[in-house]
């Protein structure tokens, strides 16, 4: 693993107060892998439905003279066990839901200066609601959050969907929520991070963002072993409390087949000082893919990729809530000035 990767991982771990992210976010240089990880099995996102389609099995070739005496896939006649990712395309968000943790795997959004400048919705008219597209027994419920000590943390912020009341209402579905630490995170550093994403539209005509939870390991100080543990809220306990959250940012130059500036960040679900540099949470997108089991840029050629934090200054602008609401796009993050040729 490179010194750069070690430094990134150490910074994220320090922010979490432990070495929690070190193992899972490690990019193992001892294995010569392609920049974009490839899945060993083929999966197709499946929208939630009463009768999900049964996947076509890929049988292992057998010798022609062997006739199997059993048929394991015959269990499909009683129903496909899963997993099923409840794909939820809305006008303001698109998401895939994890029925086991009762949290989304990811939630995607698209923002532009035009979408942010529109003001056709009022947050006071939106209400948190359970998502009835998810079967009741797998659904996150309003009561799960009651007196839990955690905020219902938007993955796609409501402020990004002020162009329509319906669009804003859809951001209040619980399939767009995860339990987040409130003071010092959801209401502070995380909110300023969301503001940073909006300010990118001053430089880029189109910005796409994918946000989601992570459940990263921590090292036991007594035996030195790595374990994954997280709180579960609700009665009965239903909703997992993520240890971390990620954002993958695609800042597009607006040209067909044009350049895309990629940024990837992992933040602990904990109080963070507003003075903490945003770049201390920057990681390679491949690190998030490895940690989440997801792929974000498998169809984006390397020649079209640029590094977001080499294009602009990745830093927060701490603005209070009222100021952010008056001007969502805010001021543009400063562009980085290329170093003169030959300078170090």
């Amino acid at each position: 693993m490179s010194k750069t990767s070690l430094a990134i991982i150490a910074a994220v771990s320090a922010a979490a107060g432990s070495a929690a992210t070190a193992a899972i976010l490690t990019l193992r240089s001892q294995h010569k892998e392609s920049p974009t990880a490839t899945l060993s099995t083929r999966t197709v996102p499946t929208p939630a439905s009463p009768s999900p389609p049964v996947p076509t099995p890929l049988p292992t070739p057998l010798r022609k003279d062997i006739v199997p005496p059993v048929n394991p896939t015959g269990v499909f006649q009683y129903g496909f066990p899963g997993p099923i990712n409840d794909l939820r395309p809305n006008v303001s968000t698109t998401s895939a839901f994890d029925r086991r943790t009762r949290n989304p795997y990811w939630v995607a959004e698209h923002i532009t200066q035009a979408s942010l400048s529109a003001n056709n919705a009022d947050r006071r008219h939106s209400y948190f609601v359970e998502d009835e597209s998810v079967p009741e027994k797998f659904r996150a419920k309003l009561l799960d959050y009651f007196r839990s000590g955690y905020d219902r943390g938007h993955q796609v912020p409501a402020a990004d969907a002020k162009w329509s009341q319906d669009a804003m209402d859809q951001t209040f579905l619980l399939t767009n929520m995860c339990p987040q630490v409130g003071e010092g995170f959801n209401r502070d550093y995380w909110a300023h991070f969301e503001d940073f994403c909006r300010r990118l539209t001053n430089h880029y005509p189109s910005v796409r963002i994918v946000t989601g939870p992570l459940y990263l390991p921590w090292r036991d100080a007594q035996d030195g072993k790595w374990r994954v543990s997280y709180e579960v809220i609700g009665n009965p306990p239903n909703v997992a409390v993520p240890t971390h959250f990620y954002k993958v940012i695609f800042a597009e130059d607006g040209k067909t087949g044009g350049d895309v500036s990629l940024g990837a960040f992992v933040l602990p679900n904990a109080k963070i000082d507003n003075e903490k540099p945003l770049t201390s949470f920057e990681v390679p997108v491949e690190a998030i893919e490895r940690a989440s089991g997801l792929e974000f840029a498998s169809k984006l050629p390397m020649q079209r990729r640029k590094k977001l934090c080499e294009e602009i200054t990745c830093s927060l602008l701490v603005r209070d809530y009222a100021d952010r609401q008056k001007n969502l796009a805010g001021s543009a993050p400063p562009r980085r000035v290329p170093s003169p040729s030959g300078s170090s």
Side-chain angles (χ1 to χ4, degrees):
M1 180 171 54
S2 69
K3 292 182 179 179
T4 301
S5 295
L6 280 170
I8 292 170
I9 293 164
V12 178
S13 301
S18 68
T21 56
I24 199 69
L25 293 180
T26 298
L27 296 177
R28 294 168 291 180
S29 58
Q30 62 267 32
H31 298 296
K32 295 182 179 179
E33 301 177 0
S34 60
T36 303
T38 55
L39 296 178
S40 58
T41 57
R42 287 182 281 174
T43 59
V44 178
T46 306
S49 60
S51 301
V54 176
T56 302
L58 302 174
T60 302
L62 294 175
R63 287 169 39 192
K64 293 183 179 180
D65 60 337
I66 295 180
V67 178
V70 295
N71 176 22
T73 57
V75 72
F76 292 162
Q77 66 183 299
Y78 306 116
F80 176 58
I84 296 171
N85 303 326
D86 296 283
L87 188 64
R88 188 72 152 90
N90 290 324
V91 295
S92 55
T93 69
T94 296
S95 64
F97 187 72
D98 182 354
R99 294 182 174 188
R100 185 180 65 86
T101 64
R102 272 72 170 179
N103 287 322
Y105 286 111
W106 53 265
V107 189
E109 61 172 316
H110 181 209
I111 55 176
T112 65
Q113 273 207 329
S115 71
L116 295 177
S117 62
N119 189 13
N120 302 316
D122 189 334
R123 186 187 179 104
R124 292 173 297 180
H125 299 153
S126 296
Y127 304 94
F128 292 98
V129 293
E130 298 173 12
D131 193 335
E132 295 184 357
S133 71
V134 177
E136 194 274 339
K137 63 181 177 180
F138 301 123
R139 192 184 305 162
K141 298 179 175 62
L142 293 171
L143 283 176
D144 291 329
Y145 285 87
F146 182 65
R147 292 182 178 175
S148 68
Y150 292 97
D151 286 1
R152 292 165 291 197
H154 284 72
Q155 302 302 281
V156 169
D160 291 4
K162 293 182 72 174
W163 50 270
S164 159
Q165 189 64 52
D166 287 342
M168 179 174 283
D169 290 348
Q170 289 173 355
T171 69
F172 282 81
L173 289 167
L174 290 191
T175 43
N176 184 44
M177 305 293 160
C178 290
Q180 287 187 328
V181 170
E183 184 178 355
F185 186 64
N186 181 47
R187 305 169 209 167
D188 295 284
Y189 200 96
W190 184 256
H192 303 315
F193 185 24
E194 293 171 334
D195 181 61
F196 164 79
C197 295
R198 286 189 286 267
R199 292 191 294 118
L200 290 174
T201 60
N202 289 286
H203 285 311
Y204 303 95
S206 172
V207 177
R208 303 181 192 276
I209 308 160
V210 183
T211 305
L214 292 172
Y215 310 87
L216 302 185
W218 57 277
R219 193 170 191 175
D220 192 311
Q222 294 185 344
D223 60 17
K225 295 182 179 179
W226 291 88
R227 293 181 171 85
V228 176
S229 66
Y230 48 84
E231 186 178 349
V232 183
I233 61 173
N235 186 21
N238 285 310
V239 182
V241 179
T243 63
H244 294 73
F245 290 93
Y246 69 83
K247 279 188 183 289
V248 179
I249 301 170
F250 303 82
E252 303 169 343
D253 67 5
K255 302 174 184 177
T256 302
D259 292 335
V260 179
S261 296
L262 270 178
F265 303 85
V266 172
L267 282 67
N269 188 12
K271 185 176 181 178
I272 304 174
D273 192 309
N274 284 334
E275 298 301 316
K276 188 76 173 177
L278 179 59
T279 51
S280 65
F281 301 111
E282 184 186 10
V283 299
V285 67
E286 294 84 4
I288 299 178
E289 291 179 332
R290 190 184 302 280
S292 64
L294 307 171
E295 288 191 304
F296 300 99
S298 60
K299 294 185 178 181
L300 180 61
M302 296 302 295
Q303 61 269 26
R304 291 180 56 198
R305 300 188 190 192
K306 290 190 174 183
K307 293 183 178 180
L308 179 67
C309 294
E310 291 182 359
E311 296 287 307
I312 56 99
T313 301
C314 289
S315 61
L316 300 185
L317 177 62
V318 178
R319 300 195 291 162
D320 62 31
Y321 177 80
D323 184 37
R324 292 199 304 268
Q325 295 305 303
K326 290 177 183 177
N327 183 9
L328 286 176
S331 59
R335 281 197 179 276
R336 287 195 172 277
V337 179
S339 300
S341 178
S343 64
S344 59

